[in-house]
Amino acid sequence: MTKLYLGIDLGGTEVKIAVVTAEGVIREEARVPNSVVSVPEEICREIISRAKAMKDFKKLAGTGIGVAGDIDQAHGIVRFSPNLPAWKNANLRKILGRALPKPIIVDNDANAAALGAYWLDAKGKVNNLVCITLGTGVGGGLVIDGKLYRGATGSAGEVGHIPFEPNGPICKCGSRGCIERYLGAPSLSLQAREEVKMGKSALIMRLVNGRLNDITPAVLATAAQKGDQLAKKLWEDAGERLGIVLAGLINLLNPEMIVLAGGVSRAGDLLLKPIKETIKERAFVTPANACKVVISKYNQQLGVVGAALLAKK
Amino acid sequence: MTKLYLGIDLGGTEVKIAVVTAEGVIREEARVPNSVVSVPEEICREIISRAKAMKDFKKLAGTGIGVAGDIDQAHGIVRFSPNLPAWKNANLRKILGRALPKPIIVDNDANAAALGAYWLDAKGKVNNLVCITLGTGVGGGLVIDGKLYRGATGSAGEVGHIPFEPNGPICKCGSRGCIERYLGAPSLSLQAREEVKMGKSALIMRLVNGRLNDITPAVLATAAQKGDQLAKKLWEDAGERLGIVLAGLINLLNPEMIVLAGGVSRAGDLLLKPIKETIKERAFVTPANACKVVISKYNQQLGVVGAALLAKK
């Protein structure tokens, strides 16, 4: 019989809790609302009570938790989470370890998503995979030889902070021209906003009822699907830029699969088509042909499934 | 007692052959001249005869060969080597396997150098290491969890073809702005030549007796050490550019060590200083602090030692 793990995807607005099989299948799921003002002890109490109510609770072989931010994976501590400012130095291993099945493994959400993509999108059948989460930030996780690759200090996989343009705009990380500065949801929205403000798209203006601050990647995807030239161009540029970075990544890591996940990836072919064209133009032929680039079919589940499988040995 | 392996570093002008311990110590060494017009059977005969003359030949536990170019590592075949055009599809495993100790492992020279750097510069004491060979081309090899990481089709590690500027000059790989187009020896020399031609450095002009084609990275290093402003600026630019790429690589792979090798790395601090400064400015703090960036102290031995250790299980 397959082993079961508890997965906790600790987001800024919602916590997903699930019992997951060793192959990444969700058996039972629950959700707890969260907010930026939440304090760890309170939410953790709620998480514990929901987890204990699950019918396979007694059979669980471990607990994995994915959180956005800087995680001390070795000690199970959230050093800092941008979505949860009150969780500074929260020792989740200690807080949850009293009540939930051990081992308690805490890692960042992009690593959890990579493990989720490995089991769901790749069915555990590739050796090497890169997962890129395209949301407010651009995150990433690397699976090498079937295992999460964390590097020397647990921070490997920061695809978003690979430089795209050496003298590009300043990034919040302190560097310049990181790909996150072009592909992150706020950057995409900002690029559109400036053009729309100059009257470049009546359609987008209409879609947001004149409220430029309501422009989001989702709006831009709708506009592009309706044929809006500006939106189409923005997605083409975005795909080309990410494609250039991915071509370098393919030359460097020669992965079997690149999985794109997160809200911005819902643009689908608008993003994927120029990515694939650019990779074809830019990367070495053999590794480019060997690398499947896909958009995750399991966007909603990657985080919680991957979190659960963090606990799998 | 330590196991012994035969290493063969198959260069365009010279073949190095050595008996190497499992820890990377050379016990005995020989050299055979090579040339671009050489044919595999002939040189291999010479290699075999030199190897058999080594006093520990009977004790060897395997043979590893490093060759520049596109290598079919799984079958031990040199698909194509830019330095040895006649070696197209040379089946080294077959040719050498009749006479030399098995297993016979063939891989590209940058991978062999990475393994050499892992055992010599890192003493086998890090988990993850990136080795970058700075020569005519910019090559690379990745050691992950103490083993060479080859990726899906054996071509991982192509650090030279990470894009530096998305719209930079066309690279021989077909892409644009690859870091090799800035850091490869011919590119460095060309940048200098154009400036010297315009009268920007009387010293360099003197060092090459007015023969602009004689400008090499070695000449530029000498000029910079003598205080030449143009040469100093060229090394600073080179270091900054490589530093930007390495900052991305540190964010992505979080390696414990980056080892620079190859002819261009002999510029030493001229190159290393701006690299380190740039990494400090650009990479995430924790992984940057955790990563030692060094110039190999074993430049002459990396290739043959790493080649030998390809055969180690």
Side-chain angles (χ1 to χ4, degrees), chain A residues 45-111:
Chain A
R45 226 175 355 248
E46 186 67 20
I47 290 170
I48 290 166
S49 112
R50 294 298 188 95
K52 285 190 167 173
M54 291 193 171
K55 69 176 175 19
D56 289 320
F57 181 75
K58 293 253 159 87
K59 297 184 198 151
L60 293 169
T63 303
I65 304 129
V67 195
D70 181 12
I71 312 299
D72 175 354
Q73 198 270 332
H75 301 97
I77 294 172
V78 178
R79 287 197 197 105
F80 169 75
S81 174
N83 304 328
L84 302 162
W87 292 56
K88 199 161 180 167
N89 294 319
N91 190 331
L92 290 189
R93 182 170 292 163
K94 202 169 143 198
I95 302 172
L96 295 172
R98 291 183 208 116
L100 297 183
K102 289 169 187 139
I104 309 264
I105 310 292
V106 188
D107 209 328
N108 84 60
D109 58 344
N111 275 353

Side-chain angles (χ1 to χ4, degrees), chain A:
Chain A
M1 220 192 72
T2 183
K3 283 198 173 178
L4 298 174
Y5 302 91
L6 186 69
I8 302 170
D9 179 8
L10 200 61
T13 56
E14 188 180 63
V15 182
K16 280 185 206 148
I17 307 162
V19 171
V20 176
T21 71
E23 293 75 36
V25 179
I26 294 179
R27 283 280 180 89
E28 192 176 350
E29 204 181 352
R31 283 153 197 251
V32 174
N34 200 1
S35 78
V36 286
V37 296
S38 78
V39 287
E41 286 73 13
E42 207 176 296
I43 298 294
C44 286
R45 226 175 355 248
E46 186 67 20
I47 290 170
I48 290 166
S49 112
R50 294 298 188 95
K52 285 190 167 173
M54 291 193 171
K55 69 176 175 19
D56 289 320
F57 181 75
K58 293 253 159 87
K59 297 184 198 151
L60 293 169
T63 303
I65 304 129
V67 195
D70 181 12
I71 312 299
D72 175 354
Q73 198 270 332
H75 301 97
I77 294 172
V78 178
R79 287 197 197 105
F80 169 75
S81 174
N83 304 328
L84 302 162
W87 292 56
K88 199 161 180 167
N89 294 319
N91 190 331
L92 290 189
R93 182 170 292 163
K94 202 169 143 198
I95 302 172
L96 295 172
R98 291 183 208 116
L100 297 183
K102 289 169 187 139
I104 309 264
I105 310 292
V106 188
D107 209 328
N108 84 60
D109 58 344
N111 275 353
L115 212 47
Y118 175 72
W119 284 103
L120 295 175
D121 292 287
K123 310 289 177 214
K125 284 185 178 158
V126 300
N127 283 308
N128 316 307
L129 170 150
V130 178
C131 179
I132 301 174
T133 49
L134 299 162
T136 306
V138 173
L142 310 177
V143 175
I144 288 182
D145 278 336
K147 286 180 307 186
L148 211 49
Y149 170 78
R150 293 188 173 95
T153 55
S155 63
E158 289 287 0
V159 177
H161 300 278
I162 294 177
F164 170 70
E165 276 184 317
N167 297 312
I170 289 178
C171 180
K172 71 177 196 305
C173 77
S175 186
R176 281 182 170 279
C178 296
I179 188 67
E180 177 171 298
R181 276 300 271 105
Y182 303 84
L183 265 286
S187 299
L188 285 172
S189 306
L190 184 69
Q191 289 162 49
R193 210 170 292 152
E194 292 183 350
E195 306 261 2
V196 174
K197 203 192 287 177
M198 294 188 300
K200 297 273 177 69
S201 166
L203 176 64
I204 297 176
M205 191 61 110
R206 236 176 14 246
L207 284 172
V208 296
N209 291 317
R211 287 187 296 264
L212 292 176
N213 284 335
D214 288 359
I215 295 174
T216 60
V219 169
L220 296 176
T222 304
Q225 276 140 9
K226 288 180 189 287
D228 182 77
Q229 291 304 314
L230 170 63
K232 279 163 74 176
K233 175 78 168 59
L234 285 168
W235 285 114
E236 266 163 35
D237 286 353
E240 191 187 345
R241 284 163 171 165
L242 188 52
I244 289 173
V245 168
L246 295 187
L249 216 146
I250 286 171
N251 289 347
L252 180 68
L253 293 181
N254 189 7
E256 283 176 65
M257 202 166 179
I258 296 177
V259 180
L260 307 177
V264 172
S265 76
R266 289 192 202 134
D269 277 342
L270 290 168
L271 190 62
L272 194 55
K273 206 166 152 272
I275 286 176
K276 286 188 173 175
E277 282 166 8
T278 305
I279 288 172
K280 206 173 166 187
E281 273 169 39
R282 299 256 187 169
F284 282 16
V285 176
T286 308
N289 287 341
C291 183
K292 254 177 104 164
V293 184
V294 302
I295 289 175
S296 178
K297 293 194 181 104
Y298 304 87
N299 239 323
Q300 293 306 312
Q301 303 169 35
L302 288 189
V304 74
V305 166
L309 297 175
L310 287 168
K312 182 175 163 180
K313 277 200 199 74

Side-chain angles (χ1 to χ4, degrees), chain B residues 171-246:
Chain B
C171 179
K172 72 176 193 309
C173 77
S175 187
R176 283 185 168 277
C178 296
I179 189 65
E180 178 172 298
R181 274 301 270 106
Y182 302 85
L183 265 287
S187 299
L188 285 172
S189 305
L190 184 68
Q191 288 163 49
R193 211 170 292 152
E194 291 183 350
E195 306 260 4
V196 174
K197 203 193 288 178
M198 295 188 299
K200 297 273 179 67
S201 167
L203 176 63
I204 296 177
M205 192 62 111
R206 234 175 16 247
L207 285 172
V208 296
N209 291 318
R211 286 186 297 264
L212 293 175
N213 284 335
D214 287 0
I215 296 175
T216 60
V219 169
L220 296 176
T222 304
Q225 276 141 9
K226 288 180 190 286
D228 182 76
Q229 290 305 314
L230 170 63
K232 279 164 75 175
K233 176 74 168 61
L234 284 169
W235 285 113
E236 267 164 35
D237 287 351
E240 192 188 345
R241 285 164 171 163
L242 188 53
I244 289 173
V245 167
L246 295 187

Side-chain angles (χ1 to χ4, degrees), chain B residues 73-148:
Chain B
Q73 197 269 329
H75 300 99
I77 293 172
V78 178
R79 286 198 198 104
F80 170 75
S81 175
N83 303 329
L84 302 161
W87 292 55
K88 199 161 180 169
N89 295 318
N91 191 332
L92 290 189
R93 183 170 292 162
K94 202 169 142 197
I95 302 173
L96 296 172
R98 289 183 210 119
L100 297 183
K102 289 168 189 141
I104 308 265
I105 310 291
V106 187
D107 209 329
N108 84 60
D109 58 344
N111 276 353
L115 212 48
Y118 176 74
W119 284 104
L120 295 175
D121 292 287
K123 309 287 177 216
K125 286 189 178 156
V126 299
N127 282 308
N128 315 307
L129 169 150
V130 178
C131 178
I132 301 174
T133 48
L134 300 161
T136 307
V138 174
L142 311 176
V143 175
I144 288 182
D145 278 337
K147 285 180 307 187
L148 209 49

Side-chain angles (χ1 to χ4, degrees), chain B:
Chain B
M1 219 193 75
T2 183
K3 283 198 174 178
L4 299 175
Y5 302 89
L6 185 68
I8 302 170
D9 180 6
L10 198 60
T13 56
E14 188 179 63
V15 182
K16 282 186 206 151
I17 307 162
V19 170
V20 175
T21 72
E23 294 75 37
V25 178
I26 294 179
R27 283 280 181 86
E28 191 175 351
E29 203 181 353
R31 283 153 197 249
V32 174
N34 200 1
S35 78
V36 287
V37 295
S38 78
V39 286
E41 288 71 15
E42 206 177 297
I43 298 295
C44 286
R45 226 178 352 251
E46 186 68 20
I47 290 170
I48 291 167
S49 113
R50 293 298 187 95
K52 285 190 166 173
M54 292 193 169
K55 69 176 175 20
D56 289 319
F57 180 76
K58 293 254 160 84
K59 298 184 199 153
L60 294 169
T63 303
I65 305 130
V67 194
D70 181 11
I71 311 299
D72 176 354
Q73 197 269 329
H75 300 99
I77 293 172
V78 178
R79 286 198 198 104
F80 170 75
S81 175
N83 303 329
L84 302 161
W87 292 55
K88 199 161 180 169
N89 295 318
N91 191 332
L92 290 189
R93 183 170 292 162
K94 202 169 142 197
I95 302 173
L96 296 172
R98 289 183 210 119
L100 297 183
K102 289 168 189 141
I104 308 265
I105 310 291
V106 187
D107 209 329
N108 84 60
D109 58 344
N111 276 353
L115 212 48
Y118 176 74
W119 284 104
L120 295 175
D121 292 287
K123 309 287 177 216
K125 286 189 178 156
V126 299
N127 282 308
N128 315 307
L129 169 150
V130 178
C131 178
I132 301 174
T133 48
L134 300 161
T136 307
V138 174
L142 311 176
V143 175
I144 288 182
D145 278 337
K147 285 180 307 187
L148 209 49
Y149 170 77
R150 293 188 173 96
T153 55
S155 64
E158 289 288 358
V159 177
H161 301 278
I162 293 177
F164 169 69
E165 276 185 316
N167 298 311
I170 288 178
C171 179
K172 72 176 193 309
C173 77
S175 187
R176 283 185 168 277
C178 296
I179 189 65
E180 178 172 298
R181 274 301 270 106
Y182 302 85
L183 265 287
S187 299
L188 285 172
S189 305
L190 184 68
Q191 288 163 49
R193 211 170 292 152
E194 291 183 350
E195 306 260 4
V196 174
K197 203 193 288 178
M198 295 188 299
K200 297 273 179 67
S201 167
L203 176 63
I204 296 177
M205 192 62 111
R206 234 175 16 247
L207 285 172
V208 296
N209 291 318
R211 286 186 297 264
L212 293 175
N213 284 335
D214 287 0
I215 296 175
T216 60
V219 169
L220 296 176
T222 304
Q225 276 141 9
K226 288 180 190 286
D228 182 76
Q229 290 305 314
L230 170 63
K232 279 164 75 175
K233 176 74 168 61
L234 284 169
W235 285 113
E236 267 164 35
D237 287 351
E240 192 188 345
R241 285 164 171 163
L242 188 53
I244 289 173
V245 167
L246 295 187
L249 214 146
I250 286 171
N251 290 347
L252 180 70
L253 293 181
N254 189 6
E256 285 176 64
M257 200 166 182
I258 296 176
V259 180
L260 307 177
V264 172
S265 76
R266 289 192 202 136
D269 277 342
L270 291 169
L271 190 63
L272 194 57
K273 204 164 155 273
I275 286 176
K276 286 187 173 178
E277 282 167 7
T278 306
I279 288 173
K280 206 172 167 186
E281 273 168 39
R282 299 256 187 169
F284 283 16
V285 176
T286 308
N289 287 341
C291 183
K292 253 178 106 165
V293 184
V294 301
I295 289 175
S296 177
K297 293 193 181 105
Y298 305 87
N299 239 324
Q300 294 304 312
Q301 302 169 37
L302 288 189
V304 73
V305 166
L309 296 175
L310 287 168
K312 182 175 162 181
K313 280 203 198 71

